[in-house]
Every structure is written in C-alpha cells, then in structure tokens.
C-alpha cells in the first residue's frame, strides 16, 4: 500500500525541512489552530483520511501478522542539535541511529515533544508525548511515539532538560555523552500499536508508519512542568480513524 517513492519524495523533503524551520504561521490555538491548518501548507490537514494522532481503543486492536521482532530498535546516545522552533523543542540527530521495521531500515532524524500527548489510549491523554522521527532511504517516515506519565525523574532526559532552549530560535548542541541514551529511554518491555497515519503538524503529510509504545516512560512532576512552561499546549487533537486498521504486538 505504499505510494511510490518518487511521488512521496517531494512532500516529505518539504515536511522534514518545515519540521526544522522556525515557526510558520500555523499555531495550536485560535484562528491559526488545528481546525484551520489547511490554510498553512496542505489541504490534507482538513481533508486527509489517514491523519494522526488518533485515539487508540485497546479493545479494537488486531494482533499484528508476523512477529513482534518485525521491530528492532538500535538506538544509543548520539550528538544532538537542539532547537526551540516555536512549536516544540526539537533535537536533530547528528549521528546515525537505526530502526528496522518489517525488514526496512530507517534512520533517526530528530525527536521532539508534545504537551499534553497527541495520541490517546481509550480516550485518555498523557501529560507528554515524545516523537522519534525516522526516515528510510526512499524518504518514507516511521515515527515512534512514547507516551509519558508523571513519576520518577527521567535520568536520560535530565541533561537536556537542564538546558532546554527557552525561547524561539534558541539552539543548543549536546555531545553524545550528554545526550539521552535513546536505547535506554525506550521501554524495553511494551506492547506496540501500529497504524498508517500522518505528520501531526502542517503539511500533515500521509503515508507515515506509526509505532506507538503502550508502556509509558516516566518524567518527574518538575520535568513535566518545565516543558509545559515553554509549551502549555502543543498537541493536535485526535483525528478520525476512518477505515484504518490498528494493529498490536
Ligand atoms: Zn510530533
């Protein structure tokens, strides 16, 4: 069901560059908010039928055909260029970090954060969601979503959190030794939810493979408060599931 790579390549390049650009005109509130995003890049935001995020209904999940080993994450600690782009804190990954899914290798390009979570589980939101955006050599995207609940202080994110760029346009470079070990950050034991969706920001490009971890990570109350002070609400509401299948391993 993948669209041909040459067709996807243009929009995805565009979307990646817009992910790393400073704030465009779109926003999360008011008359530039999610209900009006079709004015900022793509009709897909209003008319797409495979949009993200979604509300995951656990009872309706279908077991993934094949094996859970379809997903193999080979993350570690990589040097990062971190930017406050006005919409989120985004960490661009300098070294290569690899994920394979169904035999295709994807390379981690960047990760960023939403407060509160964009995906919901049985209608419930979490205080934070982290997105790890991976791309294969043909430009196809696989995004890993990690939900976060309030709990223990997250040691992997601690050094980054101490230096979060606190205004739009501010940047920060983190050496690998100070960067989160993403391999340790990702929950070792978790079910995963798989579905085909989109970018959750304009231009809302579709054809994105989503992998959502059901097991949340933990951040302390203070860590959640710190990013919430910068971004009180940078989530897109849940979108209609329409005819899509949602799988689980
Ligand atoms: Zn995101």
């Amino acid at each position: 069901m993948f669209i041909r790579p040459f067709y996807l390549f243009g929009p995805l390049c565009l979307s990646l560059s817009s992910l790393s650009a400073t704030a465009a005109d779109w926003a999360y509130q008011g008359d530039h908010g999610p209900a009006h995003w079709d004015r900022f890049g793509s009709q897909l935001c209003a008319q797409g039928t495979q949009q993200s995020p979604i509300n995951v209904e656990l009872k309706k999940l279908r077991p993934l055909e094949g094996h859970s080993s379809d997903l193999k994450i080979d993350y570690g600690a990589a040097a990062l260029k971190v930017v406050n782009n006005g919409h989120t804190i985004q960490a661009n990954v300098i070294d290569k970090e690899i994920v394979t899914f169904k035999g295709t290798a994807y390379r981690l390009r960047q990760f960023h954060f939403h407060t509160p979570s964009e995906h919901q589980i049985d209608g419930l939101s979490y205080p934070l969601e982290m997105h790890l955006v991976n791309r294969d050599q043909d430009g196809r995207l696989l995004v890993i979503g990690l939900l976060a609940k309030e709990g223990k202080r997250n040691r992997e994110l601690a050094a980054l959190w101490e230096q979060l760029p606190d205004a739009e346009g501010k940047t920060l470079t983190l050496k690998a030794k100070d960067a989160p070990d993403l391999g340790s950050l990702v929950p070792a034991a978790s079910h995963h939810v798989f579905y085909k969706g989109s970018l959750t920001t304009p231009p809302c490009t579709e054809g994105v493979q989503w992998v959502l971890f059901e097991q949340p990570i933990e951040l302390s109350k203070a860590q959640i408060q710190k990013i919430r002070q910068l971004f009180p609400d940078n989530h897109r509401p849940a979108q209609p599931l329409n005819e899509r299948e949602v799988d689980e391993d």
Side-chain angles (χ1 to χ4, degrees), residues 33-47 202 204 236:
H36 308 280
W37 281 357
D38 55 319
R39 286 159 40 197
F40 302 100
S42 166
Q43 291 293 318
L44 277 173
C45 299
Q47 292 168 12
C204 307
R236 184 190 198 193

Side-chain angles (χ1 to χ4, degrees), residues 112 114 118 131 200-201 210:
H112 61 266
H114 298 273
E118 298 204 300
H131 287 160
T200 67
T201 55
W210 276 91

Side-chain angles (χ1 to χ4, degrees), residues 47 52 57 61 69-70 77 88 96 122 124 148 152 159 169 182-183 188 194 199 221 223 226 230 242:
Q47 292 168 12
S52 294
E57 293 181 80
L61 295 178
S69 58
D70 277 351
T88 187
K96 62 179 179 187
D122 286 337
L124 293 178
K152 281 184 291 192
L182 298 171
F194 304 90
L199 299 178
K221 188 174 188 176
Q223 285 178 316
K226 183 156 186 193
L230 299 180
N242 298 320

